[in-house]
């Protein structure tokens, strides 16, 4: 299994794009973004767009 990590403190009231800046194995040079959209008070919808 390959992992891609990202980290961002996300405010709960707005949509935010989070950058993907690397990974491991075949994804060591991964890039991309993760748009996040609020889905209630404690959850978010994430859509991963990754290039390697």
């Amino acid at each position: 299994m390959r992992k891609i990590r990202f980290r961002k403190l996300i405010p709960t009231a707005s949509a935010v794009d989070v950058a993907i800046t690397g990974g491991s194995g075949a994804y060591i040079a991964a890039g991309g973004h993760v748009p996040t959209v609020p889905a209630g008070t404690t959850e978010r919808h994430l859509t991963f767009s990754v290039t390697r």
Side-chain angles (χ1 to χ4, degrees):
M1 175 194 285
R2 304 295 184 202
K3 295 180 182 180
I4 297 173
R5 293 180 183 224
F6 68 94
R7 185 176 195 166
K8 174 87 173 169
L9 180 59
I10 301 173
T12 58
S14 63
V16 176
D17 266 1
V18 179
I20 297 173
T21 58
S24 64
Y27 292 90
I28 197 77
H33 67 282
V34 182
T36 70
V37 179
T41 57
T42 61
E43 295 182 14
R44 301 187 76 78
H45 290 166
L46 307 173
T47 304
F48 288 78
S49 298
V50 181
T51 58
R52 60 179 178 143

